[in-house]
Amino acid sequence: MNCRIQDYFRVGTLLWMSYPQSDAVESLKKILCDPYFDAVEISHFASASQREEAAGLLKASATTAGYGMHPVMLEHGLNPNALDEEERAACQKRMLEEIDEAKALG
């Protein structure tokens, strides 16, 4: 193979896996500036100012962004398949909040 993998695939990474102990916005900047990546999967940002800055960075970049709820689900022990109705309802409520955040991020 004498060509770049990007000729065949959109190469992406998971923000929270690539930089687990770093500031999310600074890590996002690094990934968006890296010519190797065409896509990034982001997750929950801790503050409104971080969300606003991340939304601006994503809008200005040519990188495709996806939103992953998995880290939030694991961090808070949420289970959408829980047998307990209250536990499942709490999970559903948080998932809807995350969908709103993803929409706000574009």
Side-chain angles (χ1 to χ4, degrees):
M1 186 160 123
N2 295 332
C3 54
R4 298 172 0 120
I5 195 156
Q6 286 84 350
D7 294 339
Y8 299 96
F9 299 100
R10 298 193 68 167
V11 179
T13 188
L14 306 173
L15 178 65
W16 65 89
M17 293 293 287
S18 296
Y19 297 97
Q21 302 298 322
S22 300
D23 177 74
V25 175
E26 291 305 314
S27 302
L28 182 60
K29 288 177 185 178
K30 291 177 186 177
I31 291 171
L32 295 178
C33 291
D34 190 330
Y36 186 79
F37 295 113
D38 302 310
V40 62
E41 186 171 315
I42 57 174
S43 190
H44 178 73
F45 287 91
S47 69
S49 62
Q50 282 186 323
R51 282 190 288 281
E52 288 177 26
E53 188 173 357
L57 291 168
L58 291 168
K59 189 174 184 178
S61 78
T63 304
T64 301
Y67 191 90
M69 267 191 242
H70 194 81
V72 173
M73 305 282 279
L74 289 174
E75 180 181 345
H76 298 286
L78 300 172
N79 180 3
N81 301 311
L83 296 176
D84 179 60
E85 183 67 33
E86 288 181 22
E87 187 179 341
R88 199 168 53 251
C91 179
Q92 183 181 34
K93 181 180 181 288
R94 183 60 190 256
M95 289 172 71
L96 291 171
E97 291 169 1
E98 294 302 309
I99 289 169
D100 290 341
E101 182 174 329
K103 183 178 178 187
L105 286 164

